[in-house]
Amino acid sequence: MGSVELVEEIKEICVDLSGQAVEAAHYLINNPDEAAFHSMREIARRANVPPVSLVRLAQRMGLPGYGELRQRFIDTMRDRQQRDRLSTTRNEQTARALIHKMGEGARLDDIIESFFAAELDVVRRARAHLSEEKVTEAVDLLAHAPKVFVCGRRTTFTPAYTLAYALRKARPNVILLDSPGGAPESLLEDLLPGDAFVAVTFAPFNRVVHRLAEKAAQSGGQIISITDSFAAPVSELAGLHFVAQTSGQAFPESPLGAIAIANLLAALAIGRLGEPAQTRIRENERFLHGSGEYLLSGKLIKRRRPAVAASRKRPAKDKRKKR
């Protein structure tokens, strides 16, 4: 059964529901992806109903409890994700849509407005999926784990680098698994139980990132993931999982939601670290300023005029005697 059929099944019983069970049903109808991703207590908090309302809804559908209803949402999400993973033409389809849009003769200003509206919607949806409880747990882990490993490839490298760069400014032992030599797994040999591993991965989901996340989990690492799907394979690993959907008008996909989450987690981790982070950041900035890394206003070195080439020197005066 697909997610559409499951939602329709819930709609059919709404006429027989009353009180807060109706509110619970409406929330699941409008947010089926979240039902698969979040716990019963988190869904109840978001729907502003007591958890028992979700239990009653599940029982009204003939299920023993909410756990079974949630499993049905999870199963439908996995089926849909499996179909999506089989597609190898995602980038081609995105490019085709962009070319078609440009070929319709629309005004450039309208295209720009539409593009930015789509990008802002990506960020808004990332915010809507955030759980305060999970954010708090992730921030504590990023601030206090002995080591933090961060991994992302291709499109997801940007949010991965954003998070790792900011955390390195504020705390030691932050390792970005960029590995230009092609052996990122070697860095994980230093991962110990209690360390954090952040995986950033978008559909169709990078095999290398997933295998490294599995390896980290098997070594006792605490997993944090940022993906663009509630049914991402990495979400099957125990850990804290954040979703930032990428469906905008960017090519090949928009990482803005994932970048926003990375920025949020880094900012809150720095706030949690307090004075030690501020001291480390201050020392790092002083070093960069002293090294000449930045081009500071008002302190630019004036360029000297290049020496006049020998060939352009004024010709010598003709010393021949006048006749």
Side-chain angles (χ1 to χ4, degrees):
M1 175 181 288
S3 58
V4 175
E5 291 85 350
L6 181 54
V7 166
E8 289 301 319
E9 184 179 342
I10 297 174
K11 286 181 179 179
E12 288 177 2
I13 67 168
C14 278
V15 294
D16 300 323
L17 299 175
S18 61
Q20 292 177 311
V22 177
E23 298 299 322
H26 286 171
Y27 189 86
L28 293 180
I29 290 169
N30 294 321
N31 303 277
D33 289 348
E34 293 189 16
F37 193 68
H38 294 299
S39 67
M40 179 178 69
R41 292 190 178 279
E42 177 61 21
I43 292 295
R45 186 188 69 80
R46 292 179 175 222
N48 196 28
V49 299
V52 69
S53 296
L54 293 167
V55 176
R56 290 171 180 165
L57 171 62
Q59 292 174 342
R60 182 63 186 79
M61 296 176 66
L63 301 171
Y66 180 75
E68 288 73 17
L69 177 57
R70 184 189 181 200
Q71 188 60 51
R72 288 183 61 180
F73 277 106
I74 292 173
D75 291 341
T76 56
M77 282 292 296
R78 285 175 177 168
D79 291 342
R80 189 180 73 191
Q81 193 60 51
Q82 182 63 32
R83 292 193 299 271
D84 292 344
R85 264 185 270 172
L86 295 176
S87 174
T88 58
T89 61
R90 175 176 177 174
N91 288 352
E92 181 185 351
Q93 292 170 357
T94 302
R96 185 184 298 114
L98 291 171
I99 293 169
H100 177 72
K101 191 177 186 66
M102 290 295 293
E104 289 180 332
R107 293 173 57 248
L108 180 58
D109 188 60
D110 292 337
I111 294 175
I112 293 173
E113 286 297 319
S114 175
F115 184 91
F116 274 88
E119 292 290 272
L120 290 173
D121 189 55
V122 167
V123 176
R124 279 194 292 266
R125 280 182 289 163
R127 167 64 186 94
H129 294 320
L130 285 179
S131 160
E132 184 176 339
E133 179 182 357
K134 285 198 300 182
V135 169
T136 301
E137 292 183 36
V139 168
D140 285 338
L141 187 55
L142 293 175
H144 302 303
K147 293 187 292 292
V148 176
F149 296 83
V150 185
C151 185
R153 293 166 69 89
R154 300 182 184 273
T155 308
T156 63
F157 181 78
T158 301
Y161 178 82
T162 296
L163 178 62
Y165 177 80
L167 287 178
R168 279 177 179 170
K169 289 271 193 180
R171 55 153 294 169
N173 298 321
V174 178
I175 302 97
L176 177 65
L177 304 182
D178 50 354
S179 187
E185 74 286 347
S186 62
L187 297 172
L188 281 184
E189 299 301 326
D190 296 326
L191 185 146
L192 298 174
D195 289 339
F197 182 91
V198 183
V200 190
T201 178
F202 297 160
F205 306 112
N206 189 278
R207 186 181 300 275
V208 173
V209 174
H210 185 72
R211 287 293 297 122
L212 292 176
E214 287 183 324
K215 178 177 175 61
Q218 292 165 2
S219 300
Q222 303 296 307
I223 305 300
I224 299 173
S225 75
I226 304 174
T227 77
D228 65 344
S229 170
F230 289 99
V234 72
S235 66
E236 297 176 5
L237 301 176
L240 302 167
H241 305 291
F242 299 92
V243 173
Q245 291 163 314
T246 57
S247 53
Q249 296 179 18
F251 178 86
E253 58 254 328
S254 174
L256 279 188
I259 292 173
I261 291 175
N263 281 332
L264 173 70
L265 295 178
L268 294 176
I270 291 170
R272 186 65 53 84
L273 287 165
E275 183 58 34
Q278 186 175 355
T279 300
R280 181 180 173 91
I281 292 170
R282 183 188 305 117
E283 292 175 352
N284 176 255
E285 291 300 307
R286 285 176 177 173
F287 171 80
L288 291 176
H289 282 287
S291 69
E293 175 77 10
Y294 299 136
L295 197 60
L296 303 179
S297 177
K299 295 184 179 180
L300 304 183
I301 300 175
K302 293 182 178 180
R303 293 183 180 181
R304 295 180 179 178
R305 289 185 177 180
V308 180
S311 60
R312 296 179 59 187
K313 290 181 179 179
R314 293 180 179 178
K317 293 181 179 181
D318 191 350
K319 297 181 178 179
R320 289 177 297 176
K321 294 182 180 179
K322 294 181 179 181
R323 293 182 180 179

